[in-house]
Amino acid sequence: MSAPSQLSKDPRNNYFDFGAARQVPETHMWEGLYEHPVVDGGVEAGEDAVPVVDMQDPRAAEAVARASEQWGVFLLEGHGIPSELLARVEAGIAGMFALPTPEKMRAERQDGEPYGYGLPHIASYSSKATWSEGYTLSPASLRAELRRVWPDAGEDYRHFCDVMEEFHRQMRAVADKLTVLFLAALGLAGEQIAAVEAERKIVETMSETVTMHLNWYPKCPDPKRALGMTTHTDSGFFTFVMQSHVPGMQLFRRGPDRWVGVPPGALIVNIGDLFQILTNGRFRSAYHRAVVNRDSARVSVAYHLGPPADVKVAPLREAVGAGKPAYRTVTWREYIVVRKEAFATGGSALEMVSLSPDDHDDEGDGADHISEIPS
């Protein structure tokens, strides 16, 4: 699917007062948003029903395999994260974005900075602005980062930090369990040496690279002309998306081309591009976007997991089998550069790092490791 073909000349997130807007300005107006039909992805939607995986089901690995191969996305149940905690996360994020503009702008992310108040970097790849606000955080520096918003470190600051740190602890525990299910879905039994080693390497690479992006999608006077998040695939291993009970996330599906609305309120898992590389194309990343609503604001949290920026990722030997690697060895840092080029040209980053049967990867066949982490 083609990506936006023109890069913004000013990638910084200059504040726009969404609350005062009575119409969508030209800077935020997107064309062709509804060239393809939008269908419901609920449980009664037949072939368009977004897959559901229950982590407590003894056959969960089979469900993960089907969903990852056919959709690249699934709804996760049985994860054990208290609904009360998720409600507090949503309320805390909504409260933070409701702060006066000068307080949020104290934490504005500047060029070259990975964290702070501002839209995700992918928003800078388009010439149009999105109808959203964002804040990118690393759990490792969460309290120091949020002091930029609340320099007095008062009660609101302490409460929000406590909630987000508990959310991180719960999500990391689920991520580790889901990694085991992913490996089982690839046919690697938990007692096999290869499975144990692959699990250790993947978990270790994700141990210090979690990123949380908080999203706020304000009410929009003309939602058919605005977009909350541009169409994209996630670049890392996989992403959890916690969303509120206001619908907004849509998945792009082919045969025929259509947008499938993801049921609101559920915990979503998106396969990332690097996981597609890791599984040699067996598990597929999915194009998705966020739309906006006339009557209600919407909150979501994207909890991204992936390797350190300079760790080399290549197809697992077990995923390649008797065949050949479909992708060359690449680091996340290198892949982000390729991805930016793909957005600029309307191409596919995955196709740009793919190997033809006659290609030779200078790093070797890439099938016996996910990275250069010593054993």
Side-chain angles (χ1 to χ4, degrees):
M1 183 180 186
S2 294
S5 60
Q6 186 177 8
L7 297 182
S8 171
K9 294 181 180 179
D10 183 5
R12 293 174 298 178
N13 179 59
N14 296 316
Y15 184 78
F16 176 79
D17 189 354
F18 294 102
R22 296 296 176 261
Q23 61 183 15
V24 176
E26 180 64 29
T27 53
H28 291 68
M29 194 176 296
W30 294 69
E31 300 295 333
L33 292 179
Y34 292 92
E35 292 178 349
H36 305 301
V38 177
V39 299
D40 177 56
V43 293
E44 305 296 329
E47 66 176 11
D48 285 321
V50 181
V52 178
V53 172
D54 184 349
M55 295 188 76
Q56 304 304 316
D57 189 326
R59 304 181 69 176
E62 297 176 26
V64 166
R66 285 194 302 272
S68 301
E69 291 168 358
Q70 298 172 11
W71 283 73
V73 175
F74 52 87
L75 307 180
L76 193 65
E77 297 182 347
H79 46 70
I81 301 176
S83 57
E84 175 270 338
L85 172 61
L86 298 180
R88 285 192 289 129
V89 170
E90 181 179 347
I93 293 172
M96 185 194 70
F97 283 115
L99 290 171
T101 302
E103 296 182 26
K104 292 182 289 187
M105 293 298 286
R106 283 197 294 252
E108 183 182 17
R109 185 175 63 233
Q110 303 299 319
D111 290 345
E113 292 183 351
Y115 308 120
Y117 173 73
L119 296 175
H121 292 292
I122 195 172
S124 69
Y125 297 170
S126 172
S127 60
K128 294 293 184 179
T130 52
W131 201 268
S132 59
E133 297 181 34
Y135 204 123
T136 305
L137 297 165
S138 167
S141 59
L142 184 147
R143 289 184 178 267
E145 172 61 44
L146 289 174
R147 282 291 295 269
R148 298 166 65 189
V149 179
W150 290 285
D152 61 351
E155 182 178 350
D156 290 345
Y157 163 83
R158 293 191 299 271
H159 175 73
F160 189 58
C161 289
D162 289 345
V163 168
M164 296 309 296
E165 286 179 339
E166 177 60 23
F167 176 71
H168 167 58
R169 284 191 290 270
Q170 296 271 352
M171 293 301 299
R172 267 318 309 255
V174 174
D176 291 348
K177 294 175 184 176
L178 186 58
T179 299
V180 175
L181 283 179
F182 276 129
L183 292 172
L186 287 168
L188 295 174
E191 299 301 320
Q192 294 178 7
I193 294 176
V196 172
E197 182 66 9
E199 178 187 343
R200 180 186 69 81
K201 286 184 176 181
I202 294 172
V203 170
E204 283 182 359
T205 62
M206 296 189 304
S207 63
E208 297 180 0
T209 54
V210 174
T211 300
M212 292 189 286
H213 191 80
L214 319 182
N215 299 297
W216 172 252
Y217 303 101
K219 292 188 287 186
C220 179
D222 192 354
K224 294 294 184 182
R225 297 193 173 197
L227 193 60
M229 187 75 71
T230 187
T231 302
H232 67 287
T233 58
D234 293 339
S235 63
F237 281 159
F238 56 93
T239 303
F240 294 101
V241 180
M242 188 214 86
Q243 58 173 350
S244 62
H245 290 275
V246 177
M249 183 172 172
Q250 296 179 345
L251 311 173
F252 186 75
R253 300 279 286 166
R254 294 198 180 277
D257 291 354
R258 64 207 184 276
W259 290 101
V260 178
V262 179
L267 189 63
I268 305 163
V269 178
N270 293 334
I271 303 297
D273 290 349
L274 291 185
F275 218 56
Q276 179 165 330
I277 293 172
L278 195 69
T279 63
N280 208 39
R282 180 177 170 186
F283 295 170
R284 316 284 301 182
S285 59
Y287 280 102
H288 54 282
R289 68 181 185 181
V291 297
V292 290
N293 192 285
R294 184 187 301 274
D295 301 314
S296 302
R298 176 174 172 264
V299 165
S300 74
V301 183
Y303 188 90
H304 298 281
L305 298 111
D310 294 313
V311 166
K312 295 178 180 179
V313 177
L316 287 165
R317 179 190 299 276
E318 293 75 17
V320 174
K324 291 183 177 294
Y327 304 97
R328 66 177 174 86
T329 302
V330 66
T331 68
W332 201 353
R333 189 187 306 278
E334 292 167 345
Y335 187 74
I336 291 299
V337 174
V338 173
R339 192 173 186 229
K340 185 174 182 179
E341 181 182 347
F343 265 84
T345 60
S348 163
L350 282 168
E351 290 181 3
M352 293 166 71
V353 298
S354 64
L355 294 171
S356 71
D358 297 328
D359 284 337
H360 175 72
D361 190 350
D362 291 338
E363 297 291 340
D365 70 5
D368 59 353
H369 60 281
I370 68 165
S371 63
E372 291 190 338
I373 297 177
S375 300

